[in-house]
Amino acid sequence: DIQMTQSPSTLSASVGDRVTITCRASQSISSWLAWYQQKPGKAPKLLIYKASSLESGVPSRFSGSGSGTEFTLTISSLQPDDFATYYCQQYNSFPTFGQGTKVEIK
Amino acid sequence: EVQLVESGGGLVQPGGSLRLSCAASGFTFSSYWMSWVRQAPGKGLEWVANIKQDGSEKYYVDSVKGRFTISRDNAKNSLYLQMNSLRAEDTAVYYCARDWGGTTVINVFDYWGQGTLVTVSS
């Protein structure tokens, strides 16, 4: 299985901050990486696929980059609606998720 | 509008069985790979199983192989997960999810249901 490791586990930030979350794969996954946002009690929402492609309807303040084993999700200017938990997921093989990064209010 | 609605969760004793259902609407269900993904309380996401459009291919995470069976009924626009020999570690919210790839399995999930809670406890 491909292991996905996110950092940090928790991130405290303020509205307007630039936020970056890192995801590392235990082996190369090319660009087969997706990012999801999950709010408490809700299902995950797809944000980004193929490492950097923005899902339709997702605000442009979200962006993704990386390839191989290291990836990042960046929120250029954090908005109140963005406080949530974010998961990376590889789909190079049977899908596996990172453990999540909670973005909380500072 | 795409909708996925899970049902069938509940409290079950260790070793027991449960069958989850997912009713799909708003898209051509028979054209998509579908998956089950679970989330233990306060934990992260774990893909459980997926199934091809016609049911001819099914894949499972190792921890449920031999215990869980994924199936579908395209005439009823429904996805199922039969769970046998349940263990405490199977306690989770179970989501059904549509594969973004449509006829091609991609394992990116663009629509999710609201989830149904399965609790395995004596």
Side-chain angles (χ1 to χ4, degrees):
Chain A
D1 289 4
I2 298 175
Q3 310 300 320
M4 306 301 292
T5 303
Q6 290 181 232
S7 60
S9 295
T10 305
L11 188 160
S12 298
S14 302
V15 172
D17 285 353
R18 181 181 181 88
V19 165
T20 298
I21 299 168
T22 298
C23 177
R24 289 185 174 87
S26 59
Q27 64 189 73
S28 178
I29 58 170
S30 185
S31 295
W32 305 122
L33 185 98
W35 289 96
Y36 299 85
Q37 176 194 67
Q38 187 180 34
K39 296 181 179 179
K42 301 294 186 183
K45 173 187 174 183
L46 177 64
L47 299 176
I48 286 171
Y49 59 94
K50 208 173 180 184
S52 61
S53 296
L54 203 63
E55 171 71 344
S56 175
V58 174
S60 59
R61 62 181 180 273
F62 291 92
S63 64
S65 65
S67 65
T69 62
E70 188 149 337
F71 303 86
T72 59
L73 172 70
T74 300
I75 308 172
S76 60
S77 178
L78 198 64
Q79 298 302 300
D81 191 48
D82 301 338
F83 292 97
T85 300
Y86 294 84
Y87 293 93
C88 63
Q89 177 229 320
Q90 66 80 20
Y91 52 103
N92 183 73
S93 60
F94 289 130
T96 52
F97 294 84
Q99 81 280 13
T101 295
K102 183 178 181 180
V103 176
E104 60 181 25
I105 301 172
K106 190 172 185 179
Chain B
E1 178 194 4
V2 172
Q3 283 199 337
L4 298 168
V5 180
E6 302 93 337
S7 60
L11 175 63
V12 60
Q13 292 189 339
S17 298
L18 212 54
R19 188 196 196 204
L20 306 183
S21 299
C22 172
S25 61
F27 67 103
T28 305
F29 179 73
S30 59
S31 295
Y32 285 82
W33 280 78
M34 296 293 296
S35 279
W36 288 98
V37 179
R38 68 183 177 182
Q39 186 170 36
K43 302 296 184 182
L45 300 162
E46 181 183 41
W47 171 80
V48 174
N50 65 359
I51 184 169
K52 193 176 179 179
Q53 295 93 314
D54 63 359
S56 61
E57 293 182 38
K58 305 174 185 182
Y59 300 96
Y60 300 90
V61 68
D62 284 349
S63 59
V64 308
K65 281 180 184 174
R67 301 188 299 122
F68 289 13
T69 302
I70 189 171
S71 63
R72 64 193 295 162
D73 185 336
N74 288 338
K76 295 183 177 179
N77 289 338
S78 293
L79 178 71
Y80 305 102
L81 187 66
Q82 177 67 43
M83 304 185 295
N84 299 331
S85 303
L86 281 161
R87 306 167 180 167
E89 54 265 36
D90 296 318
T91 294
V93 173
Y94 285 73
Y95 296 99
C96 70
R98 189 181 84 166
D99 193 305
W100 173 82
T103 55
T104 302
V105 61
I106 301 291
N107 285 321
V108 172
F109 310 114
D110 60 350
Y111 286 94
W112 300 62
Q114 86 288 350
T116 187
L117 176 62
V118 172
T119 303
V120 184
S121 174
S122 54

